[in-house]
Amino acid sequence: MGRTVAIETLKLAKAFGDVKAIEHLSFQVWEGEIFGLLGPNGAGKSTTLRILLTLLRPTAGHATVFGHDVVQEPDRVRRLIGYVPQERAIDRFLTGREHLLLLGSLYHLPKDETLRRIREILKLVDLEDRADHLAKTYSGGMKRKLDLACGLLPNPKVLFLDEPTLGLDVQSRLRIWDYIRRLKERGITVVMTTNYLDEADHLCDRLAIIDGGRIMALGSPAELKAGLGGDVVSLTVGAADMDRVESLAKSLKAVPSIRAISTKPSGIDIRVESPEKALPAILDAANQQACRLEFIEYHRPRLEDVFIAQTGHAIREEFPSGE
Amino acid sequence: MARAQELAMRDYVQEVSALTMRWVHRLRREKFSMLFTLVQPMLFWLIFFGSLFQRAANSEVMQAPNYMSFLAAGVVVMTVLNNGLSGGVDLLFDKENGFLERLLATPIHRSSVIISRFIFVMTITSLQILVILTVAYFFGVHPATGLLGIAVVLLIGMLFGIGLTALSMAMAFTVKSHGDFFSVLGFLSLPLIFLSSALVPLSAMPTWMSMLARFNPMTWTIDAVRPLILSGWSQALPRIGMVVMLLLVFDALCLYGSTRAFRRAIG
């Protein structure tokens, strides 16, 4: 395909004292794609991002941004990147415009160029009206827009976003997604961390699932889901027949078009080759075992299923649905 | 090559002045709290404390015509102390809310952030010293060495302030939370004032206190500022020579410590 490598890491590792934050992290990001680092809190996503941003030195391994090593040539890297931090890293006592003017000077832009970019970016993130108000009067969504504007001011080749929609309401989330897609259209490479499955699924061209400081899976959401093999049929067993779940699971193992079976307290999740063939067999088996089914759900594999299959646990313990 | 250096210099000036202007913008926005927390307490010391002890203080012990003229030098250096020790606070907040990382992800020289803070703190401190000396003037304290003397007072104040600000930044980059920072600050500042020649001369102190006060950089600084206000050049010059050397060592140590703390903090 001859795609340009925007970012490359090779056996990247970072330890804080005895604690290994990341280990053996190797991946590539292509120019112009939206690349996601998906994982639960503490998985090592932010550490990875901070190394790429030249804010942390890796304990081992290498990382380059457009061929420039983040440790050897940090200044070259800094000129290519924009950063949207996770915290609302905003100076409450400055206006939105003052934030952008400050950054213009820190990127050593001439004044008229800074002003031109500020006009353009404020329009893009839809913050023109409030640009001259103090940041402490901004809502969460507006602060996020300002964050994004700050990240875009250097006209970066790569934009790093740390949990871009954390804690935002649905409206603001969708709007931020929309901005990110527009950046991609402008040819900007986007690298983002997220612990929202739906965000990774809808937004990212490719993603790395990170857990415990290691990459567990890497690919496009579609590839990852296809790699899981087959669709998922979820059976919910009636309360009276709970004790039959095990025997039903055992008898299903003989069905040829079934690839994997996992039991849960209320029923069984079955990954099937083709639902048309598997479904009658499943119903037959349930009938034979005299196991009454309360609910049958069928769906294509979701990123959630990929995550559980790759890491052995859900991304969050209690599952506040991201949809 | 010379051209490249010139460009690098221009970039450096641009980033340092932008970062310094950020502090100025903030000051303008927080002017009420700034006015009340920084300028006023020091004036209270001068006016109220000075007037309270005007008669209680023995002018022979003080070696001054009146207590307020003795106290003026102490209040000037206390201003330097307070501003210096709290000079790192804003960087601490920047570190805590992630703004510092945003700055450090830009192609700026790492020292710009710190230098901008020095410039700002020193400028504000100098302005406050001028306010204090002006107020003192209206209370009859006329500096013996005139305007040139005042310039030297500012210079000595800056020399002391740089070390203190560096110390404060070192602390800001080291502490785990700003609660720790403020408790250390609160703990340090009063003993440093009481165990110095700010309020009474060492000769009037109990022996154990004057022993400790002798090692206090506050004392060195005050003892150089005071003759500039009270007596004149002939008494001031030897002390100035002495304090400049001592403060240069003090500054070097503090700067070394803060550079190390900064390097460690930014990984």
Side-chain angles (χ1 to χ4, degrees):
Chain A
M1 292 267 283
R3 281 186 291 189
T4 313
V5 176
I7 290 171
E8 181 158 36
T9 73
L10 194 67
K11 294 185 179 160
L12 206 59
K14 175 73 187 179
F16 298 100
D18 293 336
V19 185
K20 288 173 180 160
I22 56 169
E23 273 184 287
H24 294 288
L25 229 58
S26 301
F27 62 88
Q28 289 177 326
V29 178
W30 309 117
E31 182 173 21
E33 74 176 345
I34 301 178
F35 187 85
L37 297 166
L38 172 69
N41 293 333
K45 294 168 294 173
S46 290
T47 303
T48 310
L49 206 67
R50 302 252 277 285
I51 290 173
L52 296 175
L53 285 162
T54 74
L55 295 174
L56 273 182
R57 279 167 167 272
T59 350
H62 296 283
T64 57
V65 177
F66 282 100
H68 299 293
D69 189 289
V70 294
V71 176
Q72 306 297 327
E73 313 169 83
D75 251 26
R76 297 293 290 275
V77 173
R78 286 174 195 138
R79 272 180 243 277
L80 298 171
I81 61 174
Y83 175 34
V84 181
Q86 176 178 350
E87 305 95 351
R88 306 282 178 270
I90 276 175
D91 188 331
R92 295 159 35 80
F93 295 102
L94 297 186
T95 66
R97 194 184 304 278
E98 281 166 350
H99 277 85
L100 297 169
L101 286 168
L102 171 65
L103 285 169
S105 295
L106 300 188
Y107 285 99
H108 312 118
L109 302 175
K111 182 85 179 207
D112 48 345
E113 173 67 9
T114 306
L115 293 176
R116 196 188 59 74
R117 287 192 195 177
I118 290 177
R119 264 199 308 279
E120 186 195 327
I121 292 170
L122 285 178
K123 192 172 287 176
L124 177 80
V125 301
D126 193 21
L127 200 63
E128 290 160 300
D129 302 347
R130 299 299 298 271
D132 294 308
H133 288 80
L134 291 190
K136 66 175 171 185
T137 65
Y138 287 9
S139 68
M142 284 160 66
K143 284 183 182 159
R144 213 66 195 131
K145 287 178 180 180
L146 176 58
D147 268 336
L148 203 56
C150 287
L152 289 173
L153 190 86
N155 213 350
K157 292 189 76 166
V158 186
L159 185 67
F160 291 96
L161 302 147
D162 202 358
E163 304 278 358
T165 65
L166 192 71
L168 288 188
D169 58 84
V170 178
Q171 295 274 309
S172 306
R173 286 188 77 193
L174 293 176
R175 207 170 303 135
I176 297 286
W177 288 4
D178 190 40
Y179 295 140
I180 295 175
R181 289 200 190 95
R182 269 192 253 170
L183 301 180
K184 180 192 151 97
E185 281 163 23
R186 295 164 148 226
I188 296 177
T189 309
V190 176
V191 177
M192 56 183 277
T193 69
T194 182
N195 63 40
Y196 293 123
L197 290 157
D198 59 332
E199 184 162 281
D201 201 355
H202 288 124
L203 203 52
C204 297
D205 296 316
R206 288 194 314 135
L207 50 97
I209 293 180
I210 299 188
D211 194 44
R214 288 167 176 274
I215 292 184
M216 313 304 281
L218 188 89
S220 71
E223 278 165 16
L224 290 173
K225 285 183 266 189
L228 206 54
D231 298 353
V232 180
V233 177
S234 289
L235 306 181
T236 306
V237 175
D241 295 334
M242 286 298 203
D243 50 335
R244 305 229 168 104
V245 167
E246 287 303 323
S247 57
L248 176 57
K250 204 175 283 174
S251 68
L252 284 172
K253 284 199 176 112
V255 179
S257 56
I258 287 177
R259 295 184 63 157
I261 296 171
S262 62
T263 56
K264 38 183 197 181
S266 60
I268 307 176
D269 277 351
I270 307 158
R271 284 218 308 274
V272 298
E273 202 82 62
S274 70
E276 306 81 41
K277 281 186 206 152
L279 218 45
I282 291 171
L283 294 177
D284 276 353
N287 267 336
Q288 271 168 25
Q289 301 287 329
C291 180
R292 217 162 339 151
L293 299 178
E294 207 149 71
F295 195 68
I296 303 174
E297 191 196 10
Y298 155 76
H299 60 83
R300 322 232 30 145
R302 296 167 302 197
L303 207 50
E304 181 188 333
D305 304 310
V306 176
F307 193 90
I308 293 172
Q310 300 290 354
T311 67
H313 60 84
I315 195 161
R316 267 171 292 261
E317 290 314 322
E318 79 288 16
F319 222 91
S321 161
E323 306 300 319
Chain B
M1 205 56 218
R3 175 82 184 136
Q5 272 174 3
E6 199 180 299
L7 283 178
M9 194 62 212
R10 204 193 56 195
D11 285 354
Y12 192 66
V13 170
Q14 187 184 16
E15 63 204 37
V16 170
S17 47
L19 287 166
T20 310
M21 280 316 286
R22 172 179 167 225
W23 304 122
V24 175
H25 283 309
R26 289 177 55 122
L27 179 71
R28 275 200 344 226
R29 306 274 151 68
E30 292 177 282
K31 53 190 159 212
F32 276 111
S33 70
M34 278 314 248
L35 215 67
F36 287 120
T37 57
L38 287 177
V39 178
Q40 298 290 16
M42 287 303 110
L43 283 177
F44 290 159
W45 276 94
L46 182 75
I47 297 166
F48 294 132
F49 203 78
S51 306
L52 274 178
F53 287 80
Q54 199 77 300
R55 286 181 56 204
N58 184 330
S59 64
E60 260 170 58
V61 176
M62 298 297 152
Q63 301 274 304
N66 55 52
Y67 185 60
M68 199 179 280
S69 57
F70 175 86
L71 189 62
V75 172
V76 163
V77 179
M78 278 157 64
T79 306
V80 176
L81 178 78
N82 279 353
N83 286 3
L85 283 184
S86 55
V89 176
D90 293 78
L91 290 180
L92 178 65
F93 288 131
D94 275 358
K95 185 185 86 173
E96 285 186 344
N97 73 13
F99 202 85
L100 187 64
E101 285 209 329
R102 185 197 284 289
L103 297 180
L104 293 177
T106 68
I108 56 170
H109 197 277
R110 309 287 91 176
S111 69
S112 303
V113 179
I114 287 183
I115 296 291
S116 76
R117 196 65 206 158
F118 277 119
I119 294 174
F120 178 75
V121 174
M122 293 309 121
T123 310
I124 294 297
T125 307
S126 299
L127 289 175
Q128 286 175 342
I129 291 175
L130 290 178
V131 170
I132 287 166
L133 289 177
T134 310
V135 172
Y137 191 89
F138 288 117
F139 278 87
V141 182
H142 301 204
T145 49
L147 287 178
L148 187 61
I150 291 175
V152 176
V153 169
L154 293 181
L155 230 70
I156 295 173
M158 273 189 223
L159 216 49
F160 187 31
I162 286 174
L164 290 169
T165 310
L167 205 65
S168 172
M169 289 181 191
M171 219 158 68
F173 290 123
T174 312
V175 291
K176 294 275 176 284
S177 76
H178 63 261
D180 291 357
F181 184 93
F182 287 111
S183 30
V184 174
L185 205 70
F187 182 79
L188 271 182
S189 99
L190 279 182
L192 279 173
I193 291 170
F194 289 133
L195 292 175
S196 81
S197 53
L199 308 177
V200 293
L202 297 195
S203 59
M205 284 182 185
T207 323
W208 68 272
M209 281 181 84
S210 68
M211 291 275 281
L212 290 173
R214 238 180 281 279
F215 296 100
N216 185 349
M218 282 283 285
T219 304
W220 317 334
T221 314
I222 293 166
D223 287 352
V225 171
R226 185 162 287 143
L228 283 167
I229 297 175
L230 278 184
S231 16
W233 289 108
S234 59
Q235 292 200 28
L237 279 175
R239 292 195 172 273
I240 293 170
M242 184 70 178
V243 80
V244 167
M245 291 209 304
L246 285 171
L247 287 181
L248 283 177
V249 175
F250 175 72
D251 288 351
L253 287 175
C254 293
L255 284 170
Y256 175 73
S258 73
T259 312
R260 281 193 51 162
F262 185 55
R263 289 241 173 85
R264 211 175 322 121
I266 65 173

